[in-house]
Amino acid sequence: NGFFMVHAQDNMGNFAESNVVIELRGTAVDGTCNAPVLPTFNATVPENATLGTLLTPIIENNYLAAKTYSWWNEDGMNGKFGINQTTGTVWVAKPLDYEEQKVYKMQARITDAEGLWYLIDYTVYILDVNEPPSKITLSGSSVVEDKIGAVVGTLSAVDPEGSLVTFTVSNGGDSFTID
């Protein structure tokens, strides 16, 4: 069977899309017309991977000759991963964040020189990395001189994993304390 996405558009620019399945009837010697069974690909990458980090390449064992690779279904991917059109190499194209999205499921389209193509499932699992707290702020920043015990302000910070944040004074510790 063949799976297609049909895009219909009128002269005003209005459009609709629909999935279409076409049943293929066998014409081979054995009466079948089965597409090759293609593997699925999985990759795991830490959320702090640098841009350009290579993931599992798509290798489809020469089912198609003179092939090109592209993303077919990029649902929720937002350009996070690139694909080399001639080699099938996949890489990190935009910063990743485990707390934002843990798994990306997409499909790569492999097309031969005649325009025949297959879809291959490609899933990327993002690994959580324990990141340091960020957005450290102090609600006040001045105090009356020689006012021992005066409250300067309130410290706050955000931990990406949601852990409790504690504070210590590391520079100027003789003049200030944290309660």
Side-chain angles (χ1 to χ4, degrees), residues 7-176:
H7 180 93
Q9 185 170 338
D10 65 17
N11 60 357
M12 299 297 291
N14 299 311
F15 70 92
E17 293 181 328
S18 180
N19 295 324
V20 177
V21 176
I22 297 175
E23 181 182 345
L24 301 176
R25 306 259 170 143
T27 57
V29 175
D30 66 357
T32 66
C33 187
N34 297 324
V37 176
L38 299 173
T40 59
F41 290 87
N42 297 310
T44 303
V45 62
E47 66 179 324
N48 64 349
T50 58
L51 299 185
T53 297
L54 299 179
L55 305 180
T56 306
I58 296 172
I59 302 170
E60 51 76 44
N61 297 323
N62 296 320
Y63 289 114
L64 300 174
K67 54 199 157 279
T68 60
Y69 300 86
S70 61
W71 291 123
W72 172 259
N73 177 355
E74 303 178 42
D75 187 31
M77 191 172 85
N78 298 323
K80 298 278 187 181
F81 305 97
I83 187 169
N84 183 296
Q85 292 183 349
T86 57
T87 66
T89 301
V90 178
W91 68 89
V92 176
K94 288 186 178 177
L96 304 172
D97 184 358
Y98 175 86
E99 287 74 26
E100 177 185 300
Q101 189 165 343
K102 297 167 181 51
V103 178
Y104 292 88
K105 294 184 178 211
M106 48 234 168
Q107 290 179 307
R109 177 176 161 161
I110 303 173
T111 307
D112 71 9
E114 323 252 311
L116 299 174
W117 52 271
Y118 295 101
L119 296 177
I120 292 181
D121 292 329
Y122 197 102
T123 304
V124 179
Y125 298 94
I126 309 302
L127 297 175
D128 192 17
V129 173
N130 191 7
E131 300 142 314
S134 62
K135 301 179 185 174
I136 300 171
T137 58
L138 176 62
S139 68
S141 60
S142 64
V143 66
V144 176
E145 186 177 12
D146 293 330
K147 192 100 177 193
I148 296 173
V151 174
V152 175
T154 303
L155 285 166
S156 64
V158 175
D159 183 76
E161 284 75 36
S163 298
L164 176 66
V165 177
T166 59
F167 301 91
T168 59
V169 176
S170 60
N171 191 1
D174 294 339
S175 302
F176 299 97

